[in-house]
Amino acid sequence: MRRVAVVGAGMTLFRHRMLETGKEMAFEASRMALDQAGLDIKDVDSVVLGSAPDAFDGVHMKGEYLLDGAGGTRKPYTRVFVGGGTGVFVPIAAWWQVASGVADIVLVVGEEKMSPLLPHPQYAFWSIFDPILERPLGVTLLWIFSLEMRRYMHVYNVSEEDIALVAVKNKRNALDHPAAQLAANITVDDVLKSEPICWPVKRLDVSPTSDGAAAVVLASEDVARRITDDPVWITGVGWNVDSTYWTNRDLCYPEYLEKAANMAYRMAHISDPKKEIDFAEVYDPFDYKELHHMEGLQLARRGEAPKLTREGVTQRDGDLPINPSGGLLGVGNPIAAAGMMKIAEVFWQLRGEAGKRQVKKPVRRGLAQAWGDLMQVGTVVIMER
Amino acid sequence: MSLPDGLRNTSQAKNWVDSLPLSYKYSAGVSGQRFAEGLKQGKILGSKCSKCGETFLPPSLYCPNCFVYSSEYVEIPPYGEIYSFAEADGKAIALIRFQGVTGGLIHVVKRPSAGKLKIGLRVSAVFRPAEQRKGDLTDIEFFEIRPHT
Amino acid sequence: MESKKTLPGTPITGAEWENEVYSFRKHSVQLRYAWDAGSAVSGFLEGLKEGRILGRRCNRCMRVLVPPRAFCERCFRSTDEWVEVKDTGKINTYSVSYVNNDASRRDKPLIVAVIEIDGASPGMGFLHVLGEVEPSKVHVDMKVKAVWKPRDERVGAITDIKYFKPLEV
């Protein structure tokens, strides 16, 4: 296998609604990533794009529709999809191509335009459920999150206050992110008193729906050495998918994520992730998910993530900074673009280019993770300088 | 696969009938917005690539070939040529191309009073009166065959 | 990235969206489907019509699968036989929904739960709603029982069970 480097990253603003079409957002993010890498579109051998369910924008060949905005015209081009896990899966699918020698330079794009769907983008999620056994009950995506959150709280005796600390931290971190949609200084009390949507989930426990795009450029080792003094290496990738029978597994712990993480750790020769991962961008569409995912990634023991959060370990100046970007809760959640934002953040952090968001301790190795569909997908990328 | 033994005949097979009504509101985009504003002013706007100089219609924020920002929006004279056409329900729909421009417009062509529609005929855009224009392609009422072609 | 002061993108405010200061296009599609339940779930729905909850057993891993399936996804082989399980169970997890699937507010909150069904393998169950109980009285591990629609109103659907209610001891 060849070594694979990240050599550039770019993104648009994340906002509830944008004037730009999906193609235009994909172009803006991709152009910025190519500019950072000092590359022209003709240097790009192949393009991989990720975008979430077609129902958001009602174009049921979204990959092909977005192709020219992602720079894929007349090139080997692929769209990949694993629900919310897509954002961190796109670079994995691109990594295959460079590691195998199929391509030297791959443009990797995450795009999401959620705003067109009326009356609310939330409605699109109805189409992911089992039509026979679940939809007749009036199921919403919020039900399954709140059911998982409640189960997690029950098994590990976690309080709503502990969970709210994550929203407070991430929205505050996002104050330093130029793309951020919901950056704010809020308190635990604000979260607890926010309107209940699907208890225990309250308004401020949830990330917003967003429009946005993010992109990175991957290159083989010889290309990377030629075009940059500062490549960031992808040293581990992992992915794992459980069945859609989500009512048949214990929702307190994401086993599929543990398997995905272990796959990536093996590849990166990591035996003690808690000690060897310097910081992580974990998937946080809801605040409890950050805790859940820290445990699935074995960055905390089961039930231990709330304690680490309380003790400040996961703050930007802590021993194990989690979501220094501000995460989905603060920066926004244009689904596939949000996962790619995490990849970009790990890249910028490792190069020391994160500005006010730069974590305090020196960092050499970071992790990005996403999750999705019916609580069944884990995708993990490890990067090193 | 055979049916499980509890389900002895296919008349017991079940389904669930439901609908998925989806409504959308699309923004025109950055270049689409410029295009719409142009139509309102009775102009057909294309975009020009800052690198290769190629002109695109409808206009695009970027050149799909060079993958760089377009340098400017340019007014395209409303005279084109029928590239291909189809006739249905008494209406003729054509892909109309413009000289020196990549792309084109799909629009209604008014049938000539004498003769037949042909590929290669030259056409021109007939805009609605300014006060009736809404900023979309229907601001062009139709294309008509230019005389002496 | 920090050197770049502003990132690309043109946000549309709520007012700009409502007042349509930009050019917008609206479009609606009405998609209608008849989803086949398949062999195993058709049997399950036939059972519901009769007021019974059915699972399928895999004779390799010996799990009793509820909802039933034609094949065991772990052993990757056809399941072997139908097993009638009980219409009681315990709450694995629950929540209180204040919203509909289009994010609009409900008139009345709805309690939703994953019910582990008695007689199925541990942890096996399905999604349903709770009734005849206040949200504040619900707890994980609470014993519940199905409340069925009258026989003549049952059509072979998951909604043949009206809801689950606390099992009085």
Side-chain angles (χ1 to χ4, degrees):
Chain A
M1 274 187 322
R2 305 199 301 170
R3 292 184 84 195
V4 181
V6 184
V7 294
M11 66 186 293
T12 64
L13 296 174
F14 286 2
R15 288 294 183 273
H16 185 43
R17 299 181 178 111
M18 298 262 261
L19 174 62
E20 282 76 9
T21 61
K23 291 178 188 221
E24 289 175 339
M25 293 193 300
F27 167 76
E28 301 267 21
S30 302
R31 188 63 258 171
M32 188 173 157
L34 288 170
D35 286 345
Q36 183 171 20
L39 293 170
D40 193 86
I41 195 67
K42 69 176 189 321
D43 303 319
V44 172
D45 297 317
S46 167
V47 176
V48 185
L49 172 122
S51 197
D54 291 351
F56 287 123
D57 51 15
V59 179
H60 288 255
M61 44 175 263
K62 196 157 46 161
E64 293 77 359
Y65 167 72
L66 293 168
L67 172 135
D68 57 283
T73 308
R74 294 182 217 125
K75 288 187 191 295
Y77 173 84
T78 321
R79 173 194 177 188
V80 294
F81 176 83
V82 277
T86 301
V88 172
F89 191 65
V90 213
I92 294 176
W95 176 90
W96 297 335
Q97 299 188 15
V98 181
S100 66
V102 168
D104 284 333
I105 299 177
V106 182
L107 177 59
V108 190
V109 189
E111 180 277 350
E112 217 65 67
K113 180 96 180 163
M114 299 173 77
S115 63
L117 185 60
L118 304 175
H120 193 280
Q122 183 66 44
Y123 186 60
F125 290 117
W126 190 67
S127 67
I128 74 173
F129 287 95
D130 185 294
I132 311 286
L133 298 177
E134 290 168 354
R135 285 192 223 176
L137 298 169
V139 65
T140 79
L141 190 71
L142 288 154
W143 287 16
I144 65 170
F145 282 110
S146 56
L147 290 166
E148 189 180 67
M149 177 168 165
R150 175 69 247 178
R151 183 73 191 168
Y152 176 67
M153 290 168 65
H154 172 80
V155 171
Y156 299 116
N157 197 22
V158 179
S159 69
E160 286 178 79
E161 284 84 350
D162 280 343
I163 288 171
L165 282 170
V166 174
V168 172
K169 168 178 70 73
N170 291 3
K171 284 174 189 293
R172 190 193 301 133
N173 282 352
L175 288 167
D176 298 323
H177 201 300
Q181 179 180 348
L182 279 187
N185 251 319
I186 58 166
T187 64
V188 166
D189 213 38
D190 291 334
V191 180
L192 296 183
K193 286 185 177 151
S194 63
E195 160 198 34
I197 302 174
C198 198
W199 186 86
V201 170
K202 301 161 293 298
R203 176 70 57 199
L204 290 174
D205 292 309
V206 195
S207 61
T209 60
S210 316
D211 291 352
V216 298
V217 182
L218 303 193
S220 60
E221 182 165 14
D222 51 333
V223 171
R225 299 257 185 236
R226 199 169 69 232
I227 64 170
T228 176
D229 296 331
D230 210 1
V232 168
W233 304 101
I234 293 180
T235 54
V237 299
W239 66 98
N240 198 282
V241 189
D242 207 334
S243 81
T244 55
Y245 294 108
W246 60 275
T247 61
N248 286 179
R249 55 177 164 264
D250 199 329
L251 300 174
C252 71
Y253 184 75
E255 273 185 41
Y256 48 89
L257 175 58
E258 181 185 303
K259 288 179 191 298
N262 287 345
M263 178 177 170
Y265 293 149
R266 266 195 309 279
M267 194 182 295
H269 308 293
I270 290 170
S271 54
D272 186 353
K274 203 178 162 182
K275 285 208 177 71
E276 295 176 67
I277 298 289
D278 296 327
F279 72 102
E281 282 284 327
V282 310
Y283 207 60
D284 61 326
F286 289 62
D287 42 13
Y288 81 94
K289 290 300 321 183
E290 176 171 310
L291 307 171
H292 206 238
H293 290 151
M294 282 172 66
E295 293 170 17
L297 290 164
Q298 301 144 82
L299 298 175
R301 290 191 307 275
R302 294 188 190 199
E304 189 198 26
K307 179 170 168 282
L308 298 183
T309 305
R310 257 194 325 267
E311 291 169 354
V313 172
T314 61
Q315 297 282 352
R316 256 188 218 145
D317 59 358
D319 290 340
L320 181 58
I322 302 291
N323 291 329
S325 67
L328 280 51
L329 288 162
V331 186
N333 188 8
I335 304 176
M340 281 292 293
M341 178 275 284
K342 291 184 174 293
I343 296 285
E345 181 70 10
V346 174
F347 170 73
W348 285 320
Q349 289 280 351
L350 289 173
R351 300 230 301 193
E353 293 175 349
K356 283 195 273 180
R357 300 192 309 284
Q358 191 66 43
V359 302
K360 200 167 178 191
K361 68 176 192 177
V363 286
R364 197 183 70 81
R365 187 190 272 139
L367 177 150
Q369 174 254 330
W371 163 93
D373 282 329
L374 291 176
M375 305 188 280
Q376 64 189 128
V377 176
T379 51
V380 178
V381 167
I382 296 165
M383 290 188 251
E384 295 179 37
R385 182 123 175 246
Chain B
M1 195 196 115
S2 62
L3 295 167
D5 48 8
L7 189 64
R8 287 181 191 85
N9 61 68
T10 51
S11 70
Q12 289 180 325
K14 300 281 190 297
N15 63 25
W16 179 261
V17 177
D18 208 340
S19 69
L20 191 56
L22 299 170
S23 292
Y24 297 96
K25 178 169 166 176
Y26 297 101
S27 63
V30 172
S31 54
Q33 181 65 29
R34 283 297 296 271
F35 184 54
E37 285 163 7
L39 288 169
K40 234 173 164 170
Q41 294 163 12
K43 293 176 185 171
I44 299 173
L45 293 183
S47 61
K48 196 168 178 182
C49 171
S50 59
K51 197 168 176 183
C52 68
E54 197 167 335
T55 301
F56 294 92
L57 178 67
S60 170
L61 178 68
Y62 53 89
C63 171
N65 299 326
C66 304
F67 211 59
V68 295
Y69 285 92
S70 301
S71 58
E72 57 179 329
Y73 292 94
V74 292
E75 188 175 348
I76 294 169
Y79 311 114
E81 194 177 293
I82 294 178
Y83 173 80
S84 187
F85 67 97
E87 293 179 282
D89 302 329
K91 258 207 224 163
I93 304 290
L95 171 55
I96 296 151
R97 291 207 155 148
F98 300 81
Q99 199 175 4
V101 173
T102 303
L105 296 177
I106 291 178
H107 219 293
V108 177
V109 175
K110 197 177 173 188
R111 229 183 281 275
S113 46
K116 288 179 113 180
L117 282 183
K118 282 190 303 199
I119 285 175
L121 282 180
R122 287 196 269 166
V123 293
S124 56
V126 176
F127 276 87
R128 290 179 195 278
E131 67 276 11
Q132 288 178 19
R133 292 180 206 145
K134 297 179 299 191
D136 65 36
L137 266 179
T138 63
D139 290 351
I140 299 173
E141 197 172 353
F142 51 77
F143 279 77
E144 63 180 5
I145 310 297
R146 294 170 67 195
H148 318 298
T149 55
Chain C
M1 174 179 161
E2 282 309 306
S3 60
K4 202 154 180 154
K5 281 220 166 46
T6 52
L7 293 171
T10 314
I12 298 176
T13 65
E16 289 169 337
W17 174 266
E18 294 302 329
N19 300 329
E20 309 210 337
V21 303
Y22 295 109
S23 178
F24 291 100
R25 294 286 168 280
K26 287 184 198 139
H27 185 63
S28 290
V29 280
Q30 172 85 24
L31 303 171
R32 278 182 65 75
Y33 296 92
W35 288 288
D36 287 325
S39 55
V41 172
S42 284
F44 178 69
L45 298 179
E46 188 67 23
L48 293 180
K49 204 170 164 183
E50 296 163 7
R52 303 189 302 154
I53 299 178
L54 299 177
R56 291 281 298 173
R57 190 193 335 265
C58 168
N59 283 342
R60 182 176 290 173
C61 65
M62 295 310 283
R63 289 191 306 162
V64 174
L65 305 163
V66 178
R69 37 258 202 196
F71 58 91
C72 172
E73 77 282 3
R74 294 210 184 144
C75 304
F76 210 59
R77 59 189 288 281
S78 296
T79 51
D80 298 282
E81 56 190 328
W82 289 99
V83 180
E84 182 172 352
V85 294
K86 298 203 168 136
D87 71 347
T88 57
K90 66 175 182 182
I91 294 174
N92 174 282
T93 181
Y94 70 99
S95 78
V96 186
S97 181
Y98 296 85
V99 291
N100 296 306
N101 60 11
D102 62 359
S104 59
R105 299 294 287 186
R106 295 181 59 87
D107 299 333
K108 227 176 95 190
L110 179 70
I111 314 173
V112 302
V114 175
I115 319 285
E116 288 181 41
I117 299 296
D118 291 334
S121 287
M124 285 265 164
F126 53 82
L127 177 72
H128 221 291
V129 299
L130 301 184
E132 297 181 42
V133 62
E134 287 304 309
S136 60
K137 297 279 190 285
V138 182
H139 59 86
V140 171
D141 293 337
M142 182 183 239
K143 295 286 293 174
V144 291
K145 182 176 174 39
V147 175
W148 297 87
K149 280 185 180 166
R151 176 173 283 274
D152 58 347
E153 287 176 27
R154 297 201 290 256
V155 295
I158 190 70
T159 47
D160 287 352
I161 297 173
K162 276 158 75 176
Y163 50 79
F164 283 79
K165 67 168 186 182
L167 187 64
E168 280 145 347
V169 189

